[in-house]
């Protein structure tokens, strides 16, 4: 198999910076794949892409030096196996709230005897070669999302599941679960983030989170080591707002928030 840059960053103890694809476009994927990021994630949960869109996007991501990544719509083995068979090397799994749910996510990314992934590497077998089936378990990255109060309460149980190298915080859902609006700076939101990072340190798991280029340094300072710093829809929206404001001689309202 080709190297997995995301796992290489994890092994080296270096921060991994990533991009996010909400628009169903292989051109957007190609642009982001060649931007020097460590991973690029196709968002099949809240993004606008379906699986049929994701296949050419994964083909575009393969051209770059990043880890082709997909966030699946839910913790369901069928779609997890499908994005892996199509060429994803890392899978982000939303709303993992317990050890049992985490174990299910990991099982879906692993062939027997370590898991229950069905064999059928439709595209990835051609891309990665005949040795894929024997190497995939050691190279595919399963990244459960920790984004609710329940998940924070169960963090030690989640992080001790074999096969979990990293987790990913959805700050919007976490804030909502704690009773706040997305974008909250409430003390208990930051306390929850600290609880997650501290637990990751105890168990040797990489903490990841949604961020922006402007907030990346703050996230790094808090101990996160997998940080999404750019998104196609955000970049397009902001560039257009800035251009319109510049042309009109006004100040545009620019947002750096994806969700």
């Amino acid at each position: 198999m080709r190297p997995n840059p995301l796992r290489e960053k994890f092994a080296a103890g270096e921060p991994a910076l990533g991009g996010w694809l909400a628009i169903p476009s292989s051109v957007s994927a190609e642009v982001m794949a060649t931007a020097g990021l460590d991973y690029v994630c196709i968002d099949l949960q809240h993004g606008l892409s379906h699986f049929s869109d994701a296949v050419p996007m994964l083909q575009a991501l393969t051209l770059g030096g990043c880890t082709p990544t997909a966030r699946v719509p839910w913790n369901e083995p069928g779609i997890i196996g499908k994005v892996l068979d199509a060429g994803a090397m890392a899978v982000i799994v939303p709303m993992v709230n317990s050890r049992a749910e985490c174990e299910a996510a990991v099982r879906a990314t692993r062939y027997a005897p370590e898991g229950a992934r069905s064999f059928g590497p439709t595209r990835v077998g051609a891309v990665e070669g005949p040795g894929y089936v024997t190497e995939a378990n050691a190279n595919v990255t399963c990244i459960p999302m920790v984004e609710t109060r329940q998940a924070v309460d169960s963090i030690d149980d989640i992080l001790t599941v074999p096969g979990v190298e990293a987790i990913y915080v959805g700050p919007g859902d976490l804030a909502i679960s704690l009773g706040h609006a997305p974008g909250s700076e409430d003390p208990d939101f930051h306390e929850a983030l600290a609880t997650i990072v501290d637990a990751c340190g105890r168990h040797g798991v990489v903490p990841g989170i949604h961020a922006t280029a402007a907030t990346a340094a703050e996230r790094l300072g808090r101990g996160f080591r997998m940080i999404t710093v750019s998104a196609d829809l955000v970049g397009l929206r902001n560039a257009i707002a800035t251009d319109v404001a510049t042309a009109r001689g006004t100040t545009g309202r620019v947002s750096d928030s994806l969700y």
Side-chain angles (χ1 to χ4, degrees), residues 107-157:
R107 277 198 307 273
T109 66
R110 303 289 192 267
Y111 293 121
E114 297 173 41
R117 179 183 172 188
S118 176
F119 178 70
T122 309
R123 173 178 175 265
V124 75
V127 174
E128 302 296 349
Y132 177 78
V133 66
T134 59
E135 299 175 17
N137 283 6
N139 285 285
V140 167
T141 307
C142 178
I143 306 172
M145 291 195 75
V146 173
E147 48 188 342
T148 66
R149 184 189 297 273
Q150 181 184 351
V152 175
D153 290 343
S154 303
I155 191 66
D156 288 297
D157 289 337

Side-chain angles (χ1 to χ4, degrees), residues 21-98:
L21 294 169
I23 300 171
S25 167
S26 60
V27 176
S28 293
E30 185 178 49
V31 169
M32 198 163 280
T34 55
L37 295 163
D38 301 308
Y39 66 94
V40 176
C41 182
I42 302 167
D43 188 0
L44 295 168
Q45 185 190 20
H46 293 301
L48 304 176
S49 298
H50 294 283
F51 177 74
S52 57
D53 303 309
V55 175
M57 293 170 75
L58 286 165
Q59 290 174 309
L61 293 182
T62 302
L63 298 175
C66 64
T67 294
T69 304
R71 176 164 73 170
V72 292
W74 209 247
N75 189 0
E76 190 277 314
I79 189 59
I80 293 173
K82 248 178 124 54
V83 297
L84 292 174
D85 290 341
M89 298 178 76
V91 182
I92 297 175
V93 183
M95 291 291 181
V96 173
N97 293 320
S98 67

Side-chain angles (χ1 to χ4, degrees), residues 15-21 32 37 39 41 71 92 145 167-172 183 185 189-190 193 207-235 237-238 255-259:
L17 303 182
W20 208 257
L21 294 169
M32 198 163 280
L37 295 163
Y39 66 94
C41 182
R71 176 164 73 170
I92 297 175
M145 291 195 75
I167 56 91
Y168 195 88
V169 175
E185 295 295 332
F189 172 74
H190 287 292
L193 294 184
I209 194 167
H210 241 39
T212 66
T215 60
E218 187 268 344
R219 300 299 196 198
L220 285 168
R222 290 183 179 275
F224 288 96
R225 289 172 42 212
M226 175 186 177
I227 302 174
T228 298
V229 299
S230 185
D232 57 354
L233 186 57
V234 173
R237 189 165 60 207
N238 289 353
S255 169
D256 61 4
S257 175
L258 183 57
Y259 304 121

